[in-house]
Amino acid sequence: MTRGRAAPDTPRRRSSWREGEATGSAPWIPGNGGSTQCATMELGPLEGSSYLELLNSNADPLHLYQLHDPMDLAGEEETELHSETDMDTINCDQFSRLWRDMEGDEETREAYASIAELDQYVFQDSQLEDPNKDIFKHIGPDEVSESMETPAEVGLKKSQKRPFPEELPADLKHWKPVPSSSSSLSCLNLPEGPVQFIPTLSTLPQGFWQISGAGTGGSSIFIYHSEVPQASQPPSPSGLTVHGLPTSPDRPGSTSPFAPSATDLPSMPEPALTSRANVTEHKTSPTQCQAAGEGSNKLPKWPESVEQFYRLLQDTYQTEPAGPDGILVEADLVRAKLVRSSSKSLERELATPDWAERQLAHGGLAGVLLAARERRRPRETQVIAVLGKAGQGKSYWAGAVSRAWACGRLPQYDFVFSVPCHCLNRPGDAYRLQDLLFSLGPRPLVADDEVFSHILKRPDRVLLILDAFEKLEAQDSFLHSTCGPAPSEPCSLRGLLAGLFQRKLLRGCTLLLTTRPRGRLTQSLSKADALFELSGFSMEQAQAYVMRYFECSGKTEQQARALALLRDRPFLLSHGHSPTLCQAVCQLSEALLELGGDAELPSTLTGLYVGLLGPAARDGPPGALAELAKLAWELGRRHQSTLREDHFPSAGVRTWALAKGLVQHPPGATASELAFCSFLLQCFLAATWLALSGEIKDKELPQYLALTPRKKRPYDNWLEGVPRFLAGLIFQPPTRCLGALVGPSAAALADRKQKVLAKYLKRLQPGTLRARQLLELLHCAHEAEEAGIWRHVVQELPARLSFLGTRLTPPDAHVLGKALEAAGRDFSLDLRSTGIDPSGLGSLVGLSCVTHFRAALSDTVALWESLRQRGETKLLQAAEEKFTIEPFKAKSLKDVEDLGKLVQTQRTRSSSEDTAGELPAVRDLKKLEFALGPISGPRAFPKLVRILMAFSSLQHLDLDALSENKIGDEGVSQLSATFPQLKSLETLNLSQNSITDVGACKLAEALPSLAASLLRLSLYNNCICDIGAESLARVLPDMVSLRVMDVQYNKFTAAGAQQLAASLRKCPHVETLAMWTPTIPFGVQEHLQQQDSRISLR
């Protein structure tokens, strides 16, 4: 579209066609004699104060440019369109100037994804590649009538209101030709809706149709049919769409002259994204399109090659895994949150929510993807990360998503590609995007350029799964490194991944990552749109897995016996939260039951893996297990688990490892690549190498327990299972441990290492270790099964054990409870923010040696309710008596609500006939802090006031916060009403709460109720003026117990200060009155201090 210059001698004219203001388009009216004029519309006042509001307003997009760059319109009375080719155009330079200003607008920056959809309009049919050629092909020559209104008459008529989108014809097949009549002009009946007539264009852009013939008033007429929602309608969720604009010559596929080219804005979506833009979700596959009725609006059929590829991809992912890997037991998927690793660091790590605070994602990963589809921003790549420890089943669930799509349960995606990340560390810079999609998956796929082009057109309908993301090298660089400039140009695999994460390749797709978190998260994960965590099996799910395992093995008669074996070993049952360990327990149980006799499972993880590998080691070549163990250790030091055939010392070792299932071909790997069947197996083999190797110096061995990391060159403990396995292999009797694996002669080498580790462990002081290291020490002592080490560890445990912020898994809770029982002393536990499950919390609380415990209020109240429903009266009574919340700090609205539930529980308990008295947690609370900040503070404080009277022993009430609670005068008034019930209150801190004279007067009226107990009163940094200071001065002599009063940084003047100083002389019991404030002259303050030294000016 071009902007014409106004003729200097043309009088000013205004169009009476007012509908253009609502729709953002104007009719083009051919004038007499072949001259052409543009009927312009009045722009009027602009709506909104930001670029985002302006772009969502009713203004014509053309006028957005004229407003921003008005130099062509200034001083001109009229704009007239000419057909000459040398006229001005709205080019990319003008767009760039507007875009730079828009980028500075904070609201608009977030809405750029919507603006990028300028090229998604007019046609939903990707097959209409040449509209001016094919659009009238269904109209026969005899269907053209001989009468129609002249274009001039059509343009002069008053425009009708634009119809709603649902009133417009949804398909070109609904166009009806009109019968002929006598006239000298050709006639064509167009569908209802706005139609624009443009007499002349030098080139025919996409979306325009040409009609030529005599009598039309020009050599040809170009008709453009647009479908624009009414101005009163809100923008659609899919993003802002601008209609009625011709094609930009330097942006293929775009129909807007304002859209910059891909070279000008490299972050814009690929030009091919314009196809099939506004397709509804139920029209996603050829099969579904074929199933639709003939009268419904259907997508055009995909090309044959695309349909074949679609079916091939479905067949690839429909195959269910065979054997134990195919056993499906639903595990919980929990929404994860991130917190800063420290107050001075920007790095983020996973938060540990309390059990009751967990937000479960229903429907598994497939349900997560369905829900995420509704919340995603249009044309923006969405990154979803699923985190979980080794053995939690992340790879299995990633495969379950692929199978769900293949079975039609993810209709929002046309294509799903699953790529194991161990395949993406290959060198070279000759990879293209199609290599990543088609060649590196579980099975190479054959796809031609037509298929790849089709995928690029709709990246928002592509799901790319990157499994085992932790195996990628240099993950932190993906958001900053350079990437390939275009999908078709070659680059390194790292460059392709950088392009995906920087949203330059396949922009708009969904990335699903599965990874094992370790400490801080990489930027690629911390900036993900959604984070989820696999929590593993519950105890019931673990038992269900055992039943399914023997059912799939065809040995249902052994199910009951296998469950009995597992229940006899509570430690192994607690490890049932890991699907990998569940499978290992089932395999060993199956082998033991086949032997007959009195089968019994081992009591440690070391014994479990010795039982699994012992028979395999005896059947293998001499030294084969030791050689495989060395490979496991060397790969683990390099953070790898994949090995090549040439890594094996001999073909016999490789054949033996494959036959025994110790290694396997991972999905997507080459024929020469192998991987250990599980991460825990690699850890066990690496620990075996440390126990047997003579290459490891004795003085270096303790560092591999990772209990006291060295400052220089610390061991990173990537193989996190090594410390426990190493302690078990070295300290357990050789005849049933190392001797069963490598023979008695080789096991004798571990004797010297046993002495070194025993000396090191007995020197450790458990009370000096952090919570995570203390738990690791308890696990090592449990695996060692050495009486001297276990006795030393449990006897040195401190009486007050705090695990605040440290995650407690079911095995952690089990081994901690066992250690506390063995110690024979009383303990106090802090279990807040540990994520401990209800069964673990109940088992620890029920120990007689635990006299006090702290846990999340919501978790504790849920435990009490569960015990009450099960009728466990004694355990319930013990749990209520041991629970304490001293001191309590409310930092969120939920904390206040949970405290209210605790008070309500006490009131219910007190009204019951079978119980009497107050809950010790409520009765004994002495210090309460309230720090919710200026937003949540005023809303939550009334809820706190309503329950304050229940805390009869409260001595310290602190309402001061660094971010200021701002409870205000209303909050002080509500608080003052509770003073008669707070008989024990000694400290009242009302600092930084926006209290004025009104609140100070209310406070002064109620303070005599606390005259016998209050020792310290702080009103620091409020807005108290002379009236408030005078009211406080009047009540000061009545506060016979008050020792310290702080009224610094308020707004009273010398008059108020003199009132307080005069009152202070009547109060010999007051020790300090701090009242420095900038509104009092310094000379007055010094004079008052000289009269009474108790006045503090600091």
Side-chain angles (χ1 to χ4, degrees):
M1 185 183 297
T2 58
R3 290 191 301 171
R5 298 186 180 93
D9 56 346
T10 305
R12 180 174 181 177
R13 289 170 296 193
R14 291 184 181 270
S15 172
S16 61
W17 189 68
R18 308 297 300 170
E19 288 297 322
E21 294 183 33
T23 61
S25 60
W28 297 91
I29 307 174
N32 297 330
S35 64
T36 57
Q37 298 174 349
C38 172
T40 61
M41 61 182 177
E42 295 177 337
L43 181 61
L46 294 173
E47 301 178 8
S49 59
S50 69
Y51 280 101
L52 177 59
E53 295 174 350
L54 182 62
L55 290 170
N56 282 289
S57 69
N58 299 333
D60 191 327
L62 174 62
H63 285 74
L64 299 183
Y65 291 90
Q66 296 171 349
L67 172 70
H68 182 263
D69 191 8
M71 60 182 179
D72 291 336
L73 298 179
E76 294 180 353
E77 296 293 327
E78 181 188 31
T79 298
E80 185 177 37
L81 182 69
H82 294 273
S83 59
E84 288 83 5
T85 59
D86 59 344
M87 57 186 59
D88 297 337
T89 60
I90 298 175
N91 52 32
C92 289
D93 292 335
Q94 198 171 12
F95 178 90
S96 299
R97 288 195 297 272
L98 176 59
W99 174 246
R100 282 194 297 271
D101 286 3
M102 290 164 58
E103 275 285 282
D105 186 16
E106 186 174 354
E107 292 180 70
T108 311
R109 192 181 305 113
E110 290 296 326
Y112 173 62
S114 298
I115 308 302
E117 290 193 77
L118 286 168
D119 55 2
Q120 283 196 23
Y121 60 94
V122 183
F123 291 114
Q124 298 179 1
D125 191 339
S126 62
Q127 302 298 315
L128 292 176
E129 299 177 356
D130 194 0
N132 61 307
K133 172 183 174 183
D134 299 331
I135 198 68
F136 296 109
K137 64 182 180 180
H138 58 283
I139 303 178
D142 55 340
E143 293 177 323
V144 180
S145 69
E146 295 297 328
S147 69
M148 65 175 293
E149 297 172 332
T150 63
E153 293 173 344
V154 174
L156 292 174
K157 285 188 176 181
K158 184 177 179 180
S159 173
Q160 296 180 352
K161 187 176 181 181
R162 289 176 182 257
F164 287 97
E166 58 267 21
E167 299 173 2
L168 297 173
D171 198 339
L172 296 176
K173 295 178 181 179
H174 292 80
W175 285 37
K176 302 294 184 180
V178 297
S180 2
S181 61
S182 59
S183 178
S184 60
L185 297 179
S186 300
C187 175
L188 180 66
N189 187 14
L190 300 177
E192 293 182 0
V195 176
Q196 300 179 18
F197 290 84
I198 304 174
T200 304
L201 286 176
S202 56
T203 58
L204 188 63
Q206 182 181 1
F208 283 77
W209 313 313
Q210 180 178 6
I211 303 177
S212 301
T216 60
S219 58
S220 60
I221 295 178
F222 300 87
I223 303 176
Y224 173 63
H225 177 228
S226 60
E227 299 179 7
V228 185
Q230 296 185 24
S232 60
Q233 290 178 282
S236 65
S238 61
L240 181 64
T241 306
V242 180
H243 304 265
L245 304 175
T247 306
S248 171
D250 57 351
R251 181 151 175 81
S254 172
T255 52
S256 169
F258 310 139
S261 64
T263 57
D264 295 331
L265 291 178
S267 61
M268 293 281 285
E270 290 87 343
L273 303 186
T274 59
S275 174
R276 300 165 65 94
N278 297 320
V279 180
T280 56
E281 292 301 330
H282 66 281
K283 306 170 188 174
T284 56
S285 68
T287 306
Q288 290 169 321
C289 288
Q290 293 170 5
E294 290 295 328
S296 63
N297 299 328
K298 299 186 296 182
L299 285 175
K301 292 184 63 178
W302 286 347
E304 184 62 29
S305 60
V306 177
E307 292 190 15
Q308 291 178 359
F309 179 80
Y310 175 83
R311 289 191 292 267
L312 174 64
L313 200 59
Q314 278 188 319
D315 296 339
T316 301
Y317 293 127
Q318 275 180 343
T319 306
E320 293 281 348
D325 293 335
I327 300 176
L328 175 62
V329 175
E330 292 287 345
D332 292 334
L333 194 66
V334 183
R335 184 175 292 275
K337 297 181 180 179
L338 297 180
V339 294
R340 285 188 178 182
S341 55
S342 66
S343 59
K344 297 182 180 180
S345 175
L346 295 179
E347 296 177 349
R348 305 170 77 189
E349 60 185 15
L350 279 179
T352 305
D354 296 319
W355 188 264
E357 292 180 350
R358 302 185 314 155
Q359 299 179 14
L360 298 181
H362 301 287
L365 286 177
V368 166
L369 292 171
L370 285 170
R373 176 75 178 181
E374 302 174 358
R375 297 189 299 268
R376 71 179 299 171
R377 292 184 296 177
R379 284 298 184 87
E380 281 298 329
T381 299
Q382 190 173 41
V383 181
I384 302 174
V386 179
L387 314 176
K389 290 187 175 182
Q392 296 290 78
K394 301 181 295 297
S395 297
Y396 178 83
W397 285 108
V401 170
S402 303
R403 290 191 293 276
W405 170 80
C407 297
R409 295 197 296 272
L410 291 176
Q412 71 268 37
Y413 299 112
D414 288 342
F415 302 99
V416 172
F417 302 97
S418 180
V419 181
C421 287
H422 64 81
C423 304
L424 303 181
N425 289 321
R426 300 174 183 177
D429 55 1
Y431 294 96
R432 292 178 172 83
L433 182 58
Q434 49 264 56
D435 297 325
L436 177 65
L437 299 178
F438 305 144
S439 305
L440 299 177
R443 190 175 72 184
L445 303 169
V446 179
D448 55 18
D449 292 340
E450 186 178 23
V451 174
F452 182 63
S453 175
H454 184 88
I455 292 173
L456 289 182
K457 292 177 181 178
R458 287 303 304 271
D460 58 313
R461 302 193 63 80
V462 174
L463 172 63
L464 178 58
I465 304 173
L466 299 178
D467 187 27
F469 189 71
E470 74 277 359
K471 297 180 180 179
L472 282 176
E473 300 173 358
Q475 302 174 26
D476 281 329
S477 64
F478 288 158
L479 294 180
H480 308 289
S481 60
T482 58
C483 60
S488 59
E489 296 187 14
C491 63
S492 64
L493 287 173
R494 184 179 301 177
L496 290 175
L497 293 173
L500 290 171
F501 282 96
Q502 294 175 24
R503 290 153 168 90
K504 295 181 180 178
L505 295 179
L506 274 184
R507 182 174 181 178
C509 71
T510 301
L511 290 178
L512 175 60
L513 315 178
T514 65
T515 186
R516 184 171 76 245
R518 282 183 51 82
R520 69 175 184 87
L521 295 183
T522 63
Q523 292 187 7
S524 304
L525 295 176
S526 62
K527 293 186 178 181
D529 298 286
L531 281 172
F532 296 90
E533 188 174 8
L534 277 171
S535 59
F537 289 159
S538 64
M539 191 172 297
E540 294 75 14
Q541 290 169 337
Q543 297 182 43
Y545 181 93
V546 174
M547 298 290 288
R548 288 281 296 133
Y549 178 91
F550 284 93
E551 179 182 343
C552 294
S553 301
K555 301 175 181 179
T556 54
E557 69 281 358
Q558 297 180 350
Q559 288 177 331
R561 180 63 176 142
L563 277 179
L565 290 178
L566 181 58
R567 290 174 181 144
D568 288 342
R569 296 299 185 191
F571 180 70
L572 290 183
L573 182 59
S574 69
H575 274 90
H577 76 289
S578 169
T580 298
L581 282 174
C582 264
Q583 182 177 331
V585 168
C586 290
Q587 290 172 343
L588 183 58
S589 299
E590 184 179 14
L592 292 176
L593 292 175
E594 288 180 355
L595 294 176
D598 296 332
E600 190 178 48
L601 287 172
S603 58
T604 63
L605 289 182
T606 306
L608 174 66
Y609 275 89
V610 169
L612 287 173
L613 268 67
R618 290 191 293 268
D619 297 340
L625 184 65
E627 293 292 342
L628 189 62
K630 182 179 181 179
L631 283 177
W633 169 251
E634 292 176 347
L635 289 173
R637 293 304 303 269
R638 299 195 297 268
H639 296 186
Q640 297 176 1
S641 59
T642 305
L643 59 161
R644 299 191 307 270
E645 289 184 354
D646 56 358
H647 287 162
F648 290 93
S650 65
V653 174
R654 174 186 175 278
T655 304
W656 164 79
L658 273 172
K660 297 300 180 180
L662 304 180
V663 295
Q664 60 187 5
H665 289 285
T670 62
S672 61
E673 290 180 330
L674 296 169
F676 293 98
C677 66
S678 72
F679 178 75
L680 284 178
L681 176 62
Q682 183 180 1
C683 292
F684 178 80
L685 291 172
T688 303
W689 169 250
L690 290 177
L692 297 175
S693 173
E695 301 176 9
I696 305 297
K697 297 179 181 180
D698 294 344
K699 64 178 182 180
E700 296 179 355
L701 197 61
Q703 70 170 313
Y704 300 121
L705 293 181
L707 298 175
T708 52
R710 300 184 305 180
K711 294 182 180 179
K712 294 183 179 180
R713 300 180 61 187
Y715 172 61
D716 62 1
N717 197 31
W718 187 79
L719 294 168
E720 55 190 16
V722 164
R724 305 178 191 183
F725 286 131
L726 179 60
L729 289 169
I730 287 182
F731 285 103
Q732 288 189 23
T735 54
R736 59 184 178 88
C737 193
L738 274 179
L741 293 174
V742 295
S745 57
L749 299 175
D751 292 341
R752 188 175 60 187
K753 298 182 179 182
Q754 184 181 109
K755 296 177 182 178
V756 173
L757 285 184
K759 184 179 179 181
Y760 167 75
L761 290 174
K762 290 180 180 180
R763 284 181 177 178
L764 283 178
Q765 298 297 321
T768 63
L769 299 178
R770 296 179 179 178
R772 185 71 263 165
Q773 295 168 339
L774 177 60
L775 290 172
E776 193 64 32
L777 175 61
L778 292 176
H779 279 287
C780 290
H782 174 80
E783 291 290 330
E785 291 189 334
E786 207 277 328
I789 294 176
W790 179 256
R791 183 168 54 254
H792 165 75
V793 171
V794 299
Q795 288 179 353
E796 295 295 327
L797 288 175
R800 297 177 62 88
L801 289 171
S802 175
F803 298 95
L804 178 64
T806 302
R807 182 159 302 192
L808 288 179
T809 62
D812 294 333
H814 175 85
V815 74
L816 176 61
K818 182 179 177 181
L820 296 179
E821 279 187 309
R825 294 181 287 114
D826 292 342
F827 292 93
S828 174
L829 301 179
D830 188 351
L831 304 175
R832 291 173 295 167
S833 299
T834 59
I836 187 171
D837 66 315
S839 61
L841 179 61
S843 63
L844 290 177
V845 169
L847 297 176
S848 59
C849 59
V850 176
T851 56
H852 296 88
F853 80 96
R854 292 199 67 175
L857 284 174
S858 52
D859 290 350
T860 305
V861 172
L863 174 64
W864 291 345
E865 185 62 28
S866 175
L867 294 175
R868 185 177 293 108
Q869 291 177 357
R870 297 201 302 264
E872 300 183 31
T873 307
K874 290 185 178 180
L875 184 56
L876 173 61
Q877 183 178 359
E880 291 177 344
E881 294 293 332
K882 296 176 183 180
F883 180 61
T884 178
I885 58 174
E886 171 67 27
F888 185 83
K889 184 174 183 178
K891 296 185 290 185
S892 66
L893 181 61
K894 182 181 181 302
D895 292 337
V896 179
E897 293 174 347
D898 288 343
L899 193 62
K901 292 178 182 178
L902 181 65
V903 173
Q904 182 61 35
T905 301
Q906 172 183 275
R907 292 168 179 169
T908 305
R909 183 175 183 266
S910 301
S911 61
S912 177
E913 296 181 357
D914 55 342
T915 59
E918 297 177 312
L919 283 173
V922 177
R923 179 192 63 207
D924 299 334
L925 180 63
K926 293 180 173 58
K927 183 176 181 180
L928 175 60
E929 297 181 59
F930 182 83
L932 269 70
I935 299 177
S936 301
R939 290 187 292 140
F941 188 70
K943 298 181 180 181
L944 179 65
V945 170
R946 286 196 289 269
I947 61 175
L948 269 181
M949 293 179 290
F951 304 105
S952 56
S953 301
L954 188 64
Q955 297 178 356
H956 188 134
L957 180 58
D958 189 350
L959 303 180
D960 184 15
L962 292 177
S963 56
E964 303 184 10
N965 290 313
K966 294 187 177 181
I967 63 172
D969 298 333
E970 181 65 26
V972 172
S973 177
Q974 296 172 355
L975 177 65
S976 300
T978 65
F979 286 170
Q981 284 76 33
L982 302 179
K983 299 294 185 181
S984 302
L985 190 63
E986 297 178 353
T987 301
L988 177 59
N989 189 351
L990 294 172
S991 301
Q992 305 186 106
N993 275 293
S994 302
I995 301 173
T996 67
D997 285 342
V998 176
C1001 293
K1002 289 283 186 181
L1003 179 66
E1005 294 174 4
L1007 277 177
S1009 301
L1010 303 175
S1013 62
L1014 192 64
L1015 300 177
R1016 290 167 291 273
L1017 173 63
S1018 178
L1019 291 165
Y1020 172 88
N1021 195 19
N1022 281 290
C1023 305
I1024 302 174
C1025 298
D1026 290 337
I1027 297 177
E1030 182 181 355
S1031 63
L1032 291 173
R1034 284 197 301 268
V1035 77
L1036 193 57
D1038 298 332
M1039 306 300 295
V1040 294
S1041 62
L1042 190 65
R1043 297 294 181 266
V1044 178
M1045 182 174 177
D1046 188 352
V1047 288
Q1048 294 186 97
Y1049 287 93
N1050 277 278
K1051 296 183 178 181
F1052 53 83
T1053 63
Q1058 291 171 354
Q1059 293 278 354
L1060 287 171
S1063 180
L1064 180 62
R1065 289 193 289 270
K1066 304 175 185 178
C1067 306
H1069 52 275
V1070 176
E1071 299 174 356
T1072 303
L1073 174 61
M1075 65 173 187
W1076 186 93
T1077 179
T1079 55
I1080 304 176
F1082 184 72
V1084 175
Q1085 298 186 62
E1086 276 194 328
H1087 176 69
L1088 294 176
Q1089 188 183 35
Q1090 290 173 359
Q1091 290 182 336
D1092 195 331
S1093 61
R1094 294 176 296 172
I1095 296 177
S1096 174
L1097 301 180
R1098 291 180 297 176

